[in-house]
Amino acid sequence: MKRAMFVTVFGCAFLAVVHPGEAQIPARGLSVLVCLAGVQGNGEYRVGPSGKLVLTVTDDTGSSATVHVLHGGDDSTHDILYADNGSGELDCGDAILTVD
């Protein structure tokens, strides 16, 4: 009984300390967007039938790129480093290593 209570209390305390936003991995989400948009190097790519989610890739060197994400009125720009899968440009299948 004491063990179950300890596990419950510890679990609740852990969840209170680790916020969901801090637990997210930005590179993972960006990798999904790159695949959904069909990114293949520099250019503008629209996601979905409405096209309201737009990714613009610039300065793609084969190992780094700048990605601008526009969704409605929100936008963000990210400099990324990635491990190329052999295509020489950012595309689905590349491992995104860092996102700034």
Side-chain angles (χ1 to χ4, degrees):
M1 181 71 167
K2 287 182 182 181
R3 183 176 180 181
M5 182 176 252
F6 174 76
V7 170
T8 301
V9 169
F10 180 76
C12 289
F14 179 76
L15 290 175
V17 172
V18 177
H19 302 286
E22 295 172 352
Q24 294 179 354
I25 303 170
R28 187 173 194 184
L30 195 53
S31 293
V32 171
L33 287 177
V34 165
C35 289
L36 286 174
V39 169
Q40 292 182 322
N42 292 320
E44 182 177 285
Y45 304 91
R46 297 182 180 273
V47 178
S50 67
K52 291 183 180 179
L53 178 59
V54 180
L55 273 70
T56 304
V57 178
T58 56
D59 301 324
D60 188 357
T61 66
S63 62
S64 67
T66 299
V67 179
H68 182 81
V69 181
L70 176 64
H71 184 250
D74 297 327
D75 70 323
S76 60
T77 301
H78 308 278
D79 292 321
I80 63 168
L81 291 175
Y82 64 92
D84 187 46
N85 62 4
S87 65
E89 60 189 10
L90 179 63
D91 60 7
C92 188
D94 291 341
I96 296 179
L97 306 174
T98 63
V99 179
D100 290 328

